[in-house]
Amino acid sequence: MSLSHGRPYLAIPGPSVMPDRVLAAMHRPAPNIYTGALHEMTETLVPDLKAVAGTRHDVAIYIANGHGTWEASLLNVLSRGDRVLALVSGRFGEGWAEVARALGAEVEVMEFGLDRPADPARIEARLREDREAAIKAVMVVHADTATGVRSDVAAIRAAMDAAGHPALLLADCIASMGCDRFEMDRWGVDVAITASQKGLMTPPGLGFVFFSERAGAARARADMVTPYWDWRPRAAPEQYYQYFGGTAPTHHLYGLRAALDMIAEEGLEQVWTRHARLAAAVWAAVECWGRDGTMRLNVAAPEARSHAVTSIALEAPDADRLRAWCEQEAGLTLGIGLGRMPMEGWFRIGHMGHVNAHMVLGALGVIEAGLAALSIPHGAGGAAAAARALAG
Ligand SMILES: *Cc1c(COP(=O)(O)O)cnc(C)c1O
């Protein structure tokens, strides 16, 4: 007998749960892409996207996942042989650095370990050494989805300024946007990237690249970019077609419209606060379970933890067994370990986007049931600790 029949909960860190409102908005016949309602609706997306990113600058929309925006962000500001400093606190930082190298940049990786955020002091010291300003861009992943590490982007900008260094600051906000506080302009970010399927609650397939005036000026010198990835026509289209470099991603746009409406109705500050509160409940449960057995939060310092995803060690093969139990017996799908995290000894909980208290408490209750059913040693009372955390 399985207790999985009912509404499933896909608690992986992307794609995230899609709201019924988003799904319903997409359920329609193909619209005319040459004129009419779709054009008018698309124009309304732009200011709302910028509001979520905290920018008054430009946004280019791509029919792409996050990997597409990894390339777009680099192609528009770099030339072959340019040096970049890639800050790495997990698999996603590594992945973006590999893309930069494959595109022809000279990549210098600064590793902070898999459980630590980027250290502004080290960045400042390195940039002070770079007197000729050979480093053209600093790349940081705001929240690394593999490790759950969140770096302090504003502090990185402050370190760059303290060093008096002119490099651009590029931030991967694919996991964090619409979950963790992010303020592109106030924090001095030149290029911020995100994708539709995490905090933005829309199916995978849309990528967004926000860019400052300085990044726009770098575009004029950059020699890598190919026509499809050029952000200029997308940010300043003369014809509707140019928004998307071709046919519009019609249904995704309607889904995104509904998702942005939901964020605006809740209020962005409130969205961030909700994620913070739900994340704290997850941490409370895991800390409690970790008092016995091998479970532990990957990131020790709460201020360096993502509010969108929690990455948890649980000695092999128990993480694997637990994930299988939760899915088969209770309809809860948890995330796997990625990159250098051992897959059988790791799991992740996605708590991003369309997630509320009963979903998180349900997920944590199921995990606790799984730990008991599988006789995996753990401290008692995790679900109750989560409930208390939510009670405030
Ligand atoms: C999901 C994610 C990516 C990759 O996005 P895809 O849509 O899978 O290509 C990159 N960076 C971060 C931080 C992510 O969370």
Side-chain angles (χ1 to χ4, degrees), residues 96-120:
W96 198 13
E98 285 160 15
V99 166
R101 195 171 294 120
L103 293 175
E106 176 120 5
V107 180
E108 182 176 325
V109 170
M110 190 177 270
E111 272 267 5
F112 298 94
L114 298 179
D115 54 0
R116 303 269 151 95
D119 173 2

Side-chain angles (χ1 to χ4, degrees), residues 13 65-68 70 92 141 143-145 172-175 195 197-198 204 352:
N65 58 16
H67 280 68
W70 272 354
F92 289 88
V141 177
D144 196 298
T145 322
D172 171 344
C173 302
I174 297 171
Q197 79 274 23
K198 297 186 182 178
M352 49 173 55

Side-chain angles (χ1 to χ4, degrees), residues 256-309:
L256 179 66
R257 182 61 270 163
L260 291 170
D261 285 343
M262 291 173 71
I263 290 173
E265 286 162 20
E266 185 178 355
L268 189 55
E269 287 285 344
Q270 170 58 32
V271 168
W272 291 333
T273 306
R274 172 168 54 84
H275 281 83
R277 293 279 303 278
L278 296 176
V282 173
W283 307 339
V286 177
E287 274 163 3
C288 199
W289 292 326
R291 291 196 191 121
D292 194 8
T294 68
M295 194 186 294
R296 67 175 173 79
L297 288 167
N298 181 48
V299 184
E303 67 277 8
R305 293 181 196 149
S306 157
H307 293 168
V309 53

Side-chain angles (χ1 to χ4, degrees), residues 211-228:
F211 59 95
S212 71
E213 272 155 38
R214 283 185 70 227
R219 166 67 194 86
R221 302 185 294 272
D223 75 4
M224 281 185 179
V225 72
T226 53
Y228 185 80

Side-chain angles (χ1 to χ4, degrees), residues 18-72:
M18 280 183 277
D20 288 341
R21 232 170 116 179
V22 170
L23 293 172
M26 299 178 74
H27 193 96
R28 62 172 77 213
N32 186 358
I33 58 164
Y34 295 105
T35 177
L38 186 67
H39 288 205
E40 285 156 33
M41 190 276 286
T42 301
E43 277 172 28
T44 70
L45 296 172
V46 172
D48 292 355
L49 283 166
K50 290 186 196 177
V52 173
T55 187
R56 57 179 178 79
H57 296 296
D58 287 307
V59 60
I61 307 175
Y62 294 90
I63 303 175
N65 58 16
H67 280 68
T69 66
W70 272 354
E71 294 206 19

Side-chain angles (χ1 to χ4, degrees), residues 246-259:
T247 303
T250 52
H251 288 64
H252 277 75
L253 297 176
Y254 282 110
L256 179 66
R257 182 61 270 163

